[in-house]
Amino acid sequence: MSGPLVLLDSASLYFRSFFALPQSMTSPDGVPVNAVRGFAGMIAQVIADRRPARLVACLDADWRPAFRVAAIPSYKAQRVADPSINAEEVPDTLTPQVPIIIDLLEALGIATAAADGYEADDVIGTLAHRETAAPVEIVTGDRDLFQCVRDEPSPVRVVYVGRGWAKAEVVGPRELAQRYGLPEDGMAYADMSVLRGDPSDGLPGITGIGEKTAAKLISKFGSLQALVDAAAAGSKDVPLRVRQAFTDDADYLAKAPLVVRVATDAAITATGDPAIPHAPADLDRVRELQERWALGSAVDRLLAALS
């Protein structure tokens, strides 16, 4: 295999497509399809530009897994639309587009993967961890997946598209070190994330510690565990205010790593062959979906990229 294994953070990509493209993109009966068209166009660009040998669209089986909520109940709590069924607050006009995306992937013959009780991040973390021969590229608009980067046994890089494909950044251990002042280790990013927290995910972080301080501490001690051990031992190398914050936020500090770190051992259910198809699995079905939902040139570009 000459090309990388590409793992798509599907929800991240179709959410970004939804907000980047106008909802005036609709099917003949008025159903918005902006997320579908944007997502299809993104896959076409990924295939054309990154030339993967294999590609997997990774999906959320559970957007707010029970094991993370049990550890930190505030995890994504602000985004819950219906607590009785743990439903995520999603724009009404995006929800109907997700099944269309799944139908299109199936018709194209593009593999998908999910894991019961886990998020797509965990599926990506597990597949990346398993790959020891070919390079891996993770396409996402979510910085949380920076923790997956590595050099050995096979390189894992994040193709970060938070500012769009035209401004995509390829991030590896060296880029993380340069950007944040961290050790050249993806797990150092996860350790920093535990300390600084993430309000958008309902993670408070350690009181008084922002990103810069978190990065300096992890860089100085090498890992979160080494920092915690030094603080517990009363090391003068750990500022007094940090030691006090660790004491005050001890429960969060003990549980946050489980929530922040992606799983590498999720039981994955995959559909389809990850090898890039040179022709769609069902061209008639692809054309039917293209016409039914007015997907236009986005599907044409995707078919051209496959061929």
Side-chain angles (χ1 to χ4, degrees):
M1 285 179 256
S2 59
L5 164 63
V6 167
L7 305 174
L8 302 179
D9 184 6
S10 300
S12 169
L13 299 179
Y14 64 63
F15 261 92
R16 289 180 179 277
S17 295
F18 176 81
F19 289 108
L21 297 175
Q23 292 188 48
S24 57
M25 292 181 173
T26 62
S27 67
D29 54 357
V31 176
V33 291
N34 54 332
V36 185
R37 289 177 65 171
F39 186 69
M42 178 69 75
I43 297 177
Q45 290 177 307
V46 168
I47 294 172
D49 293 355
R50 307 310 300 179
R51 309 307 301 172
R54 291 169 293 157
L55 183 144
V56 181
C58 300
L59 307 170
D60 284 324
D62 190 338
W63 73 282
R64 190 172 179 251
F67 74 91
R68 289 193 168 101
V69 176
I72 299 182
S74 63
Y75 180 64
K76 294 186 178 179
Q78 77 278 19
R79 287 151 54 184
V80 176
D82 186 343
S84 66
I85 58 173
N86 197 34
E88 184 179 12
E89 187 175 4
V90 176
D92 291 341
T93 49
L94 173 58
T95 301
Q97 299 189 55
V98 178
I100 304 172
I101 288 171
I102 302 302
D103 286 347
L104 182 60
L105 291 171
E106 181 180 2
L108 288 162
I110 291 176
T112 61
D116 288 344
Y118 290 92
E119 301 175 61
D121 285 9
D122 301 307
V123 176
I124 289 169
T126 299
L127 291 176
H129 180 74
R130 287 179 184 175
E131 183 59 52
T132 59
V136 177
E137 295 186 352
I138 299 165
V139 182
T140 182
D142 186 352
R143 290 185 178 91
D144 290 346
L145 286 165
F146 286 170
Q147 66 182 279
C148 295
V149 303
R150 70 180 191 214
D151 286 327
E152 299 291 344
S154 62
V156 176
R157 301 291 185 262
V158 167
V159 182
Y160 179 67
V161 295
R163 297 189 297 162
W165 186 258
K167 297 181 179 179
E169 304 169 71
V170 179
V171 177
R174 179 177 297 179
E175 288 75 21
L176 277 185
Q178 292 174 344
R179 180 179 298 192
Y180 297 103
L182 291 167
E184 291 191 15
D185 176 8
M187 287 310 300
Y189 183 86
D191 287 349
M192 179 186 74
S193 298
V194 168
L195 295 178
R196 75 172 182 201
D198 185 348
S200 68
D201 279 343
L203 300 176
I206 298 297
T207 304
I209 297 182
E211 183 170 277
K212 290 183 178 179
T213 300
K216 287 179 180 178
L217 289 169
I218 297 302
S219 180
K220 182 174 184 177
F221 288 91
S223 71
L224 177 61
Q225 189 59 56
L227 169 62
V228 170
D229 290 344
S235 171
K236 293 182 180 180
D237 289 333
V238 183
L240 178 59
R241 66 178 183 84
V242 173
R243 281 182 273 153
Q244 184 60 51
F246 279 9
T247 299
D248 294 343
D249 298 335
D251 186 60
Y252 167 84
L253 187 60
K255 295 176 179 178
L258 174 67
V259 178
V260 170
R261 293 169 183 165
V262 301
T264 57
D265 59 354
I268 292 173
T269 300
T271 62
D273 186 343
I276 292 289
H278 295 297
D282 187 341
L283 180 58
D284 289 342
R285 177 62 173 155
V286 172
R287 292 302 187 191
E288 178 187 344
L289 291 168
Q290 182 183 28
E291 181 177 358
R292 166 70 181 85
W293 301 109
L295 302 179
S297 61
V299 167
D300 291 333
R301 293 197 305 274
L302 186 43
L303 291 173
L306 292 177
S307 64

